[in-house]
């Protein structure tokens, strides 16, 4: 614990995670604040998603507010193909609609 405080004092931008072992089951909420920065907060882990080049193109165009018809014309593919890619993207990113698709794509850094 003293080591953590020293590092925080010398390098204030460094984030420290102290790992502790317990003999009995405990939760993060039961642990004391490990560093001056506060208690440990765990973010939900998401598996990295693998998109095809075409899915990346379509996702970017969706984020730029192109309609399915505009995307189809721009990429020289059918509207049905665009809709299938859109469906695959919503499944891969575990979202329900286009708003969720764009929100998740931005959160993951998949669009510019």
């Amino acid at each position: 614990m003293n080591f953590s405080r020293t590092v925080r004092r010398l390098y204030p931008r460094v984030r420290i995670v102290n790992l502790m072992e317990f003999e009995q089951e405990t939760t993060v909420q039961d642990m004391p604040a490990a560093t001056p920065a506060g208690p440990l907060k765990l973010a939900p882990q998401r598996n990295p998603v693998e998109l095809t080049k075409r899915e990346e193109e379509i996702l970017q165009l969706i984020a730029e507010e192109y309609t399915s018809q505009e995307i189809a014309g721009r990429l020289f593919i059918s509207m049905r193909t665009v809709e299938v890619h859109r469906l695959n993207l919503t499944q891969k990113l575990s979202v329900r609609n286009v708003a969720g698709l764009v929100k998740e794509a931005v959160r993951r850094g998949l669009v510019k």
Side-chain angles (χ1 to χ4, degrees):
M1 195 80 84
N2 288 334
F3 175 76
S4 297
R5 286 192 179 107
T6 302
V7 170
R8 287 290 294 167
R9 186 171 35 84
L10 295 174
Y11 307 98
R13 297 184 77 199
V14 170
R15 295 303 231 182
I16 299 169
V17 176
N18 290 325
L19 301 177
M20 298 173 225
E21 187 174 327
F22 295 92
E23 288 185 20
Q24 56 188 339
E25 186 177 327
T26 188
T27 64
V28 173
Q29 290 81 12
D30 297 332
M31 293 181 198
T35 67
L40 178 64
K41 294 179 183 170
L42 300 177
Q45 290 288 0
R46 297 208 180 220
N47 294 332
V49 64
E50 290 189 27
L51 303 179
T52 66
K53 281 288 189 192
R54 185 59 93 182
E55 287 172 338
E56 289 174 3
E57 284 179 292
I58 290 174
L59 184 57
Q60 183 63 46
L61 292 171
I62 290 170
E64 293 174 12
E65 299 183 46
Y66 282 81
T67 65
S68 292
Q69 187 172 3
E70 291 169 331
I71 293 170
R74 188 174 176 115
L75 299 179
F76 305 103
I77 58 178
S78 73
M79 269 189 46
R80 176 70 182 137
T81 301
V82 174
E83 294 301 324
V84 169
H85 281 301
R86 186 187 306 260
L87 176 63
N88 290 340
L89 285 165
T90 58
Q91 290 173 348
K92 285 184 177 184
L93 296 176
S94 302
V95 296
R96 298 181 336 164
N97 53 39
V98 175
L101 188 61
V102 172
K103 179 180 168 185
E104 188 64 17
V106 169
R107 190 188 75 73
R108 291 177 184 238
L110 299 172
V111 294
K112 299 173 189 169

